[in-house]
Amino acid sequence: MPLAMLRRGVLATSLLLAGIAPSMAQNSDPSFNVVNRSGTTIQELYVSSAEVNTWGEDLLGRNVLSNGRSFPVRLPSGQCVNDLRVVYEGGRAEERRAVDTCPLNEVVFGNQQGGATAGGKRGPTTSGRTGNPSFNLVNRTGKTIQVLRASPTSDGSWGEDRLGNDVVPPGGTFAIRLPAGECTYDIRVEYEDRAAEERRGVDLCSVANVTFP
């Protein structure tokens, strides 16, 4: 009788794990679609783990990604935090650093008009995409984030510190609530040692988390 009970317990455990496994796999799937809404052709696409220092091969190969089209990026399970780089027709490049792609279906490139200036915002731009840009700020650095500024890319200033009196310690997460409307934002964090880091042209309506570094 004890042996029979043991066998039934093993069978029940196996069935339970079979039901859980697909959910776990889904949560750790970093694959996504790159969507081109830039108004020009993307000629090169690179995606690599944020933990490595090289971009690797051009995923488009001999192909290009025309405006309005999407391209599937398939990554190994669990490789959630990735760096992305695209090179547009004419040679201009754009990068997204430390993007948590596991909760995403797509990463959008587009509405990146105007040039960036050192220490400040780029000039006004126009974005037709709207939605809910609220996100979670995730601090995976070894330093405390003391200031977070997030403003629409079409805005000419960084605006207020959205952390207020709060800080985000290493390993911490902080929910940033933004008004519904424009999706494309520029983000700037300032650390306890006065160092700063910026992300430009992030489509916040397509991401749940923005991770530094």
Side-chain angles (χ1 to χ4, degrees):
M1 182 63 67
L3 180 58
M5 293 178 62
L6 178 61
R7 288 176 177 172
R8 285 198 296 269
V10 171
L11 177 59
T13 301
S14 299
L15 292 174
L16 178 61
L17 291 176
I20 293 175
S23 176
M24 294 177 62
Q26 183 178 7
N27 291 336
S28 62
D29 182 5
S31 299
F32 60 97
N33 293 319
V34 170
V35 181
N36 182 7
R37 293 184 183 144
S38 66
T40 188
T41 298
I42 293 176
Q43 293 186 322
E44 299 175 33
L45 169 63
Y46 303 89
V47 179
S48 64
S49 169
E51 298 180 356
V52 303
N53 295 321
T54 59
W55 283 113
E57 65 179 359
D58 172 17
L59 299 183
L60 293 180
R62 296 182 179 180
N63 299 314
V64 297
L65 185 58
S66 302
N67 181 53
R69 303 298 297 273
S70 63
F71 181 85
V73 175
R74 300 293 174 252
L75 298 173
S77 178
Q79 185 183 310
C80 289
V81 183
N82 297 284
D83 294 337
L84 296 83
R85 174 183 172 88
V86 299
V87 180
Y88 296 104
E89 185 177 16
R92 182 174 67 89
E94 183 181 349
E95 297 179 5
R96 306 279 175 84
R97 297 283 185 165
V99 179
D100 185 354
T101 61
C102 280
L104 305 182
N105 291 321
E106 61 182 34
V107 175
V108 179
F109 284 86
N111 303 316
Q112 308 301 304
Q113 302 174 8
T117 57
K121 296 273 285 181
R122 61 168 60 81
T125 65
T126 301
S127 172
R129 178 170 163 78
T130 60
N132 180 8
S134 297
F135 66 97
N136 295 316
L137 173 65
V138 182
N139 183 4
R140 288 187 177 156
T141 73
K143 301 180 292 184
T144 297
I145 295 176
Q146 293 187 324
V147 176
L148 181 283
R149 304 185 192 277
S151 62
T153 301
S154 60
D155 195 342
S157 63
W158 282 111
E160 63 181 330
D161 173 16
R162 298 184 182 273
L163 294 181
N165 295 324
D166 294 307
V167 298
V168 186
T173 300
F174 190 92
I176 304 297
R177 298 292 174 250
L178 299 173
E182 184 172 339
C183 290
T184 307
Y185 270 70
D186 293 340
I187 302 169
R188 175 185 173 90
V189 297
E190 298 173 16
Y191 298 101
E192 58 189 334
D193 61 358
R194 298 182 182 275
E197 188 174 354
E198 298 176 6
R199 301 282 170 77
R200 302 279 185 158
V202 180
D203 185 351
L204 291 178
C205 296
S206 297
V207 302
N209 301 321
V210 175
T211 304
F212 286 84

